[in-house]
Amino acid sequence: MTIRDIPVRTLTDEATTLGELAGDKAVLVVNVASKCGLTPQYTGLVELQQTYGPRGFSVVGVPCNQFMGQEPGTAEEIAQFCSTTYGVDFPLLEKSDVNGDERHPLYQELVQTADAEGEAGDIQWNFEKFLVDRDGKVVGRFRPRTEPKDPAVVSAIEAVL
């Protein structure tokens, strides 16, 4: 079993897995929020989706309300905000905890991956990014302030395509 086999639910409450959702694509899993100072990163995530989607890549957003209540909306409100404000066309999962006792099983696996400085563990804030290759191996972790179009993120994506 790989990370691609962990059960998840879409924002529209459909049962799936990353593997089913993204097919054989590499995936950038990002915990997202609508009312955060980093929310404009949606623009870069949409650009990554548009640029690399045709080459076998998908962003997957995971709304999370654990950081100062910055994702308070319902599934419908989140979908509406993402679509109308940023033109989000990548999959969104259900709102989930990424830290603590109720941490989603997907994030139980993701947080074991270290970032470039060798630090693993809890998610620091909204918009932390994990790159999962086509085989289900987590090959990169990028902290929240690392912009989606940062050269380190782009080169990591290109390396798995």
Side-chain angles (χ1 to χ4, degrees):
M1 182 166 151
T2 72
I3 202 160
R4 298 174 65 83
D5 301 316
I6 295 171
V8 296
R9 297 194 79 77
T10 67
L11 194 58
T12 56
D13 200 33
E14 297 171 42
T16 190
T17 64
L18 281 183
E20 291 172 357
L21 194 63
D24 66 349
K25 297 178 179 179
V27 178
L28 188 70
V29 180
V30 186
N31 63 302
V32 295
S34 302
K35 300 187 181 307
C36 175
L38 300 177
T39 300
Q41 286 193 24
Y42 268 121
T43 299
L45 294 172
V46 168
E47 289 173 4
L48 288 177
Q49 180 70 35
Q50 292 170 347
T51 301
Y52 296 106
R55 292 178 51 196
F57 170 79
S58 182
V59 174
V60 174
V62 183
C64 177
N65 196 40
Q66 285 191 290
F67 302 100
M68 295 184 65
Q70 294 181 344
E71 187 58 273
T74 64
E76 294 78 20
E77 290 168 337
I78 293 166
Q80 177 75 21
F81 172 82
C82 289
S83 175
T84 59
T85 308
Y86 290 100
V88 169
D89 58 352
F90 52 79
L92 295 168
L93 300 182
E94 69 180 344
K95 193 187 304 187
S96 301
D97 284 356
V98 298
N99 288 333
D101 292 341
E102 300 297 317
R103 184 188 329 248
H104 191 283
L106 175 64
Y107 274 86
Q108 290 175 9
E109 293 300 316
L110 290 173
V111 299
Q112 295 179 36
T113 302
D115 62 14
E117 285 76 44
E119 300 274 331
D122 282 351
I123 302 300
Q124 292 179 345
W125 200 253
N126 301 308
F127 292 89
E128 191 145 337
K129 301 151 202 73
F130 293 87
L131 183 60
V132 180
D133 70 12
R134 295 171 196 241
D135 296 324
K137 182 176 183 211
V138 184
V139 296
R141 180 177 188 166
F142 306 94
R143 295 297 182 168
R145 294 203 178 275
T146 303
E147 292 285 333
K149 304 269 308 233
D150 183 281
V153 176
V154 170
S155 66
I157 291 169
E158 289 180 348
V160 297
L161 296 181

